[in-house]
Amino acid sequence: MSAHISGGPSTEEAIPSQPVTLRCMEPLNVHHEGRTLRGTLHLPQSGPAPAVVLCHGFSGTRTEFGHMFVRLGKRLAERGIAAYRFDFAGGGESDGDYADITVSDQVAQALAALDAVGRHPGVDPERLSLLGMSLGGLTASLAAAKRPVRSLALWAPAAVAVDAEVNRRRQAIIAEHGYDDFGGTPIFKRYADDAETIDAFADAKGHTGPVLLAAGTEDHVFGDHVFDGYQDLYADRLEYHRLDGVGHGFETVPAREHLLDLTESFLLRHA
């Protein structure tokens, strides 16, 4: 494992990168269990290209915080890697009700997205990767165990979302109030019941490629036990970066620029 505690780039280096010429951006919808998952594919000028599927976080959309997925998609396409970002069912512009969310369903959607991207003529189906933020990171890690993806990038993966102790408390709250209020978004019994069937680390076994793991030093969702679980799981295939002074959303301009740089570099080496 390579580990880095990063304070981020200097003030001069933290200036957002200049706009790039977008080679091609096109809609790509995925049909999954009677629902349309709406997404956007960034393509390089030439192909077939390696590709990465981007999985957004809880109650998010395919743009992600600070439009990070849009920015990453453009940067990767400029460097020869296709990027597909999509809205999970019930989120953004996709069909479905977000109240029906479960982790298992999101994993199935991510696999359907991988399959759809792999069928695109501009993509090399033998060179697919996954990236996820928060709950999307947990989703991507579980999906990577079910498909032979080249590499896996995890931004502050929310393994705690299926933690047994957390889920017991959530079940008690749901039993009393009908739902768990998570930052203004309700979580219902269907989610909690599904979480009981998932082990964030044991169920992620199977991915054999390199893994990028990035989290903030002030991220209380990403505790030491979460890092320990991924370290045990991925061992020397894990490239770990802890960004100093930021929380779950990488809340400064330098941290977000650094995260984009780290991710682009990792995918250029391993996609």
Side-chain angles (χ1 to χ4, degrees):
M1 180 195 71
S2 58
H4 308 272
I5 301 295
S6 305
S10 67
T11 302
E12 290 78 11
E13 292 171 329
I15 298 173
S17 56
Q18 296 300 309
V20 299
T21 301
L22 183 59
R23 302 305 186 189
C24 179
M25 185 172 68
E26 63 182 50
L28 176 62
N29 296 335
V30 178
H31 300 288
H32 181 260
E33 296 188 357
R35 304 165 299 191
T36 298
L37 310 179
R38 293 176 174 84
T40 305
L41 180 64
H42 298 262
L43 284 167
Q45 190 173 33
S46 60
V52 56
V53 171
L54 312 180
C55 301
H56 67 74
F58 180 77
S59 75
T61 71
R62 66 182 183 266
T63 62
E64 251 311 334
F65 61 86
H67 307 290
M68 287 285 279
F69 276 8
V70 181
R71 296 181 62 206
L72 180 63
K74 291 178 178 180
R75 287 177 61 155
L76 292 176
E78 183 71 13
R79 300 299 299 275
I81 300 174
Y84 179 63
R85 49 189 180 85
F86 71 103
D87 295 325
F88 282 109
E93 297 176 321
S94 290
D95 293 349
D97 187 338
Y98 209 73
D100 294 331
I101 180 177
T102 69
V103 173
S104 294
D105 186 30
Q106 287 207 163
V107 171
Q109 293 174 54
L111 295 174
L114 273 173
D115 292 342
V117 171
R119 291 192 295 268
H120 192 282
V123 168
D124 181 350
E126 301 300 317
R127 299 183 66 188
L128 300 178
S129 296
L130 277 164
L131 179 150
M133 165 62 194
S134 190
L135 189 63
L138 172 63
T139 299
S141 68
L142 297 171
K146 299 177 182 295
R147 288 287 193 282
V149 296
R150 293 284 290 265
S151 60
L152 173 65
L154 305 176
W155 292 359
V160 70
V162 293
D163 179 80
E165 183 178 346
V166 170
N167 204 49
R168 280 193 295 271
R169 294 197 298 268
R170 174 164 288 148
Q171 288 280 25
I173 293 170
I174 293 172
E176 182 177 356
H177 300 287
Y179 64 91
D180 181 18
D181 188 331
F182 189 81
T185 299
I187 298 177
F188 295 99
K189 194 173 188 302
R190 177 177 178 176
Y191 175 97
D193 288 346
D194 177 71
E196 291 182 355
T197 71
I198 298 170
D199 184 310
F201 307 113
D203 293 344
K205 291 179 180 177
H207 173 62
T208 59
V211 179
L212 171 74
L213 176 60
T217 58
E218 308 306 310
D219 185 350
H220 301 298
V221 175
F222 187 88
D224 289 342
H225 67 290
V226 175
F227 167 68
D228 291 343
Y230 285 119
Q231 183 181 38
D232 291 343
L233 177 62
Y234 297 124
D236 60 359
R237 293 179 289 114
L238 182 66
E239 178 183 322
Y240 178 53
H241 297 269
R242 203 79 191 262
L243 279 65
D244 191 37
V246 293
H248 195 58
F250 305 93
E251 302 89 353
T252 68
V253 170
R256 291 181 177 182
E257 293 301 312
H258 192 39
L259 181 61
L260 289 175
D261 289 342
L262 290 171
T263 306
E264 179 182 333
S265 173
F266 173 81
L267 290 171
L268 285 172
R269 285 180 278 120
H270 299 298

